Amino acid sequence: MIETENLTKKFGDLIVVDNVTLRVNDGEVFGFLGPNGAGKTTTVRMLCCLISKTSGTARIGNYEVGNRADQQKIRRMVGLLTENVGLYEELSAYDNLDFYGRFYRMDEQKRKEQIEYLLKMLGLWERRNEAAGTFSKGMKQKLAIARALIHDPQVLFLDEPTANLDPEAAKTVRDFILELKKQKRTIFLNTHLLDEAEKVCDRVAILKTRLIAIGTPQELRRSLSGRKIKVQLQRVDDVIVEAIKKIGFQVSEITNNGLVIDVNDPEKENQAILKAIEAAGGYVQFITETGSTLEDVYLKLVRG
Amino acid sequence: MDLQSAWAVAAKDFKIFKRKSQIIYITIAFPLAVGIAFPLIVQYALYNAKSHLVGGLSITGLMDAFSVWFLIGAAIIPAAIASYSLVGEKIQKSLEPLLATPMTDGEILLGKTISGLVVPLAAIYAGSAIFMVLMDLVTHSKLGYLYYPNWHIGAILLVAPLICLFSVELNIIISSRINDVRTAQQMGMLSALPFFGLYFASEFGFFAFNDSNLLILAGVILVVDFVVFFVSRATFQREEILTKWK
């Protein structure tokens, strides 16, 4: 659905986005991670045809970003939640959405239905006639998301959708993104909240002007530190540790009757490890996969 | 160009203006002041005058001079409104979502021009209607006929939209460089300077606001309107707005 190849943006001599190549599949939630100034917003602006690219190519569906004839078509098929909500504070929630609906050739009835659907889904229907300026930050963010969805776009770009929200409002927004995911929309999510990316994204990319990593959150974690399992025992002794080493596994950490063991494929290797522990007289209480968090991966990659 | 989209922008601005008391006061105050105060001044002068001359001027000369203030209003009022309409979008950061819609720059600008033009023009026309009625009321007995409506005020009301348009476009250019509504409004008032200049030139006898000069003025402003429109369009670039407007 979204494809870029060597997408680059320069402001004068400053390279803001450098040769970014990526592909976002239809119906995928794609997380775009990176520190402030990494070029996330600039990339989104290029993909939404808000600013021009310096070089490289990008496509949304069948349309070419940067091709004048395709610009309007791209804008019709994408929805954008901007970093700043940018609502008309004097207008009611309903009027804010109705205003935007007019630009997408939606007749009045269709606009009414879509506004009602979105406001009900986001819990704002009862307050539809109140000025947006009276809303809390979370409600404004929800209204801005509704605005991005007013024309039922196939592709949704969300730029920091939960930034500056309290945990409850952030959860509401995240749950809504998951709901959109169920509807098989393609979502491009700019965020620096790794926990959020891990919860909602199918795949993530880490950007620091250049793309420095791309994959599923699990793949990125494994790429950094491989896979690990943690075995909690009633008690740990040297016999058990030696038994594990004897069958070819590395014990990387021993903690309070727990062993962290490096593995390649736990689904296949766990049985052998469990047998070795039991044969050495150990009593397993539980076993779980552990490893680096996405945050560890992110920090390692971003700090270089 | 999709006129419905441009109209949607203008209609949205009208809704916002209705909720902004400052804009309502600015829009109403000037035409109302000119429309009511000048007839009262004429009435007072006539009451104290011994002949149909007031301070050396004929009553009709005085009325013509006062009616020129509607041209100055046509430059001042859009400055207040157009500045708000664009700087307001900058302050509320609502331009980016607006630019992300399928609307073209021309449609957005046209919408902004309509909203900056219609309200001041309606106020000017309403004020001039009050002016004409009150002037006729206070001068009818002295002149023996109804002075208004006449070709002179007709020519003034023909030039007024062109001046409004000039003011709106100039304010779009100014607003693209300024972040504060009040500063933009103050700078936008500069659009009234040429008309103040002409007014004072006429007071000192260097220029006459007669029908033929008003028509020439209309032609000149029409040309200037075209030039300023293209400059404002050139100023209004999506990429510039998103990356350079502070």
Side-chain angles (χ1 to χ4, degrees):
Chain A
M1 182 56 83
I2 303 170
E3 267 185 88
T4 72
E5 200 173 336
N6 298 321
L7 186 65
T8 300
K9 179 69 187 176
K10 288 182 189 173
F11 290 117
D13 292 333
L14 182 71
I15 300 172
V16 182
V17 177
D18 189 9
N19 283 301
V20 169
T21 299
L22 55 83
R23 182 191 166 91
V24 181
N25 300 315
D26 206 357
E28 187 177 29
V29 180
F30 187 82
F32 210 43
L33 311 177
N36 291 335
K40 305 189 297 290
T41 299
T42 302
T43 305
V44 165
R45 283 175 171 177
M46 282 191 282
L47 293 174
C48 291
C49 300
L50 283 169
I51 60 174
S52 61
K53 58 189 168 60
T54 305
S55 61
T57 59
R59 292 183 75 82
I60 309 279
N62 296 321
Y63 303 116
E64 181 82 36
V65 172
N67 179 346
R68 255 185 115 74
D70 287 350
Q71 277 191 13
Q72 303 292 93
K73 290 164 191 159
I74 290 174
R75 288 199 196 119
R76 282 189 192 284
M77 73 182 286
V78 306
L80 170 65
L81 171 72
T82 51
E83 203 172 351
N84 298 298
V85 289
L87 297 166
Y88 296 107
E89 306 238 316
E90 298 85 358
L91 298 186
S92 68
Y94 190 98
D95 283 346
N96 263 284
L97 298 186
D98 187 57
F99 170 61
Y100 279 91
R102 288 169 191 264
F103 304 129
Y104 296 95
R105 296 179 187 153
M106 297 168 74
D107 63 45
E108 198 177 342
Q109 188 56 34
K110 174 81 181 139
R111 285 204 307 272
K112 270 185 184 172
E113 286 168 9
Q114 182 72 352
I115 292 169
E116 186 173 345
Y117 164 75
L118 288 168
L119 290 181
K120 280 186 174 168
M121 199 161 174
L122 287 160
L124 296 173
W125 179 245
E126 298 304 318
R127 300 189 65 176
R128 63 189 177 281
N129 293 321
E130 292 177 30
T134 64
F135 284 9
S136 68
K137 266 186 185 172
M139 289 164 72
K140 283 181 182 173
Q141 192 75 347
K142 285 197 272 185
L143 185 56
I145 293 175
R147 180 187 61 201
L149 287 164
I150 188 69
H151 55 299
D152 201 14
Q154 290 166 262
V155 183
L156 194 59
F157 289 92
L158 304 174
D159 198 356
E160 309 282 0
T162 57
N164 305 318
L165 295 185
D166 64 57
E168 195 183 347
K171 186 179 181 313
T172 311
V173 170
R174 260 198 308 274
D175 289 347
F176 188 64
I177 296 170
L178 289 170
E179 190 59 42
L180 295 171
K181 184 178 175 176
K182 281 185 203 160
Q183 297 172 5
K184 300 285 175 206
R185 286 179 206 268
T186 306
I187 300 174
F188 194 98
L189 175 70
N190 268 10
T191 183
H192 55 250
L193 301 175
L194 304 164
D195 184 43
E196 178 173 286
E198 200 145 19
K199 278 178 184 156
V200 303
C201 296
D202 298 312
R203 284 192 308 138
V204 295
I206 300 176
L207 183 78
K208 194 181 168 189
T209 307
R210 297 181 71 93
L211 206 60
I212 49 180
I214 188 165
T216 65
Q218 294 85 347
E219 281 168 357
L220 292 189
R221 282 198 307 261
R222 286 172 202 163
S223 70
L224 183 76
S225 59
R227 299 179 76 175
K228 294 172 190 286
I229 55 165
K230 183 176 181 185
V231 183
Q232 188 65 36
L233 301 160
Q234 208 165 41
R235 77 182 161 78
V236 172
D237 58 34
D238 290 345
V239 179
I240 295 170
V241 174
E242 282 306 315
I244 293 166
K245 285 181 180 170
K246 203 171 173 181
I247 57 169
F249 293 98
Q250 182 69 38
V251 176
S252 56
E253 201 180 338
I254 301 172
T255 57
N256 196 24
N257 291 334
L259 296 173
V260 177
I261 305 165
D262 296 344
V263 291
N264 292 317
D265 188 354
E267 288 81 4
K268 289 180 182 164
E269 294 164 344
N270 279 0
Q271 283 300 325
I273 294 169
L274 287 177
K275 276 183 186 168
I277 292 172
E278 281 171 6
Y283 179 74
V284 176
Q285 289 177 322
F286 61 82
I287 182 166
T288 180
E289 184 170 4
T290 183
S292 303
T293 63
L294 189 58
E295 189 174 332
D296 296 329
V297 179
Y298 174 85
L299 290 175
K300 185 175 179 187
L301 291 171
V302 165
R303 285 173 182 167
Chain B
M1 184 172 293
D2 181 0
L3 293 179
Q4 280 187 334
S5 292
W7 180 250
V9 172
K12 181 269 297 172
D13 277 354
F14 295 148
K15 275 187 186 171
I16 292 176
F17 295 162
K18 273 202 298 190
R19 290 167 173 81
K20 291 271 173 194
S21 53
Q22 189 202 359
I23 288 178
I24 295 170
Y25 296 147
I26 291 171
T27 310
I28 293 174
F30 188 94
L32 213 57
V34 175
I36 295 171
F38 286 153
L40 290 177
I41 291 169
V42 168
Q43 189 187 24
Y44 177 78
L46 283 174
Y47 184 76
N48 291 300
K50 290 189 175 76
S51 70
H52 68 285
L53 291 176
V54 181
L57 272 173
S58 68
I59 301 169
T60 54
L62 195 63
M63 287 154 77
D64 286 348
F66 283 159
S67 63
V68 172
W69 279 86
F70 286 109
L71 295 184
I72 294 167
I76 289 176
I77 304 170
I81 292 184
S83 308
Y84 181 81
S85 117
L86 212 58
V87 180
E89 297 263 11
K90 282 167 86 174
I91 291 170
Q92 295 196 348
K93 302 200 184 294
S94 50
L95 266 176
E96 189 172 357
L98 191 62
L99 295 172
T101 66
M103 268 204 302
T104 63
D105 293 348
E107 286 159 3
I108 295 174
L109 267 185
L110 181 62
K112 290 288 169 195
T113 304
I114 294 169
S115 69
L117 199 65
V118 170
V119 177
L121 213 51
I124 292 284
Y125 285 166
S128 64
I130 295 168
F131 176 85
M132 285 190 278
V133 169
L134 291 182
M135 279 297 193
D136 278 343
L137 273 176
V138 300
T139 60
H140 181 248
S141 59
K142 201 84 173 176
L143 293 173
Y145 63 94
L146 295 176
Y147 187 64
Y148 291 119
N150 59 22
W151 286 112
H152 183 262
I153 194 103
I156 283 186
L157 296 181
L158 181 79
V159 179
L162 299 172
I163 295 178
C164 275
L165 191 58
F166 165 73
S167 179
V168 170
E169 298 303 339
L170 195 69
N171 275 281
I172 287 173
I173 297 168
I174 292 169
S175 301
S176 66
R177 298 278 174 259
I178 286 169
N179 273 330
D180 174 59
V181 175
R182 202 157 288 177
T183 313
Q185 283 171 345
Q186 286 163 354
M187 286 196 66
M189 297 293 173
L190 292 174
S191 58
L193 272 184
F195 307 103
F196 267 118
L198 283 178
Y199 178 76
F200 286 113
S202 74
E203 289 297 302
F204 291 106
F206 298 114
F207 181 79
F209 278 104
N210 55 38
D211 298 353
S212 55
N213 278 353
L214 279 169
L215 286 177
I216 293 169
L217 188 64
V220 172
I221 298 170
L222 192 64
V223 173
V224 174
D225 279 348
F226 272 107
V227 173
V228 181
F229 175 75
F230 285 110
V231 174
S232 72
R233 242 195 115 152
T235 312
F236 196 85
Q237 296 288 338
R238 273 161 209 259
E239 188 148 352
E240 289 260 313
I241 290 167
L242 292 171
T243 57
K244 292 188 182 161
W245 281 22
K246 298 286 180 224

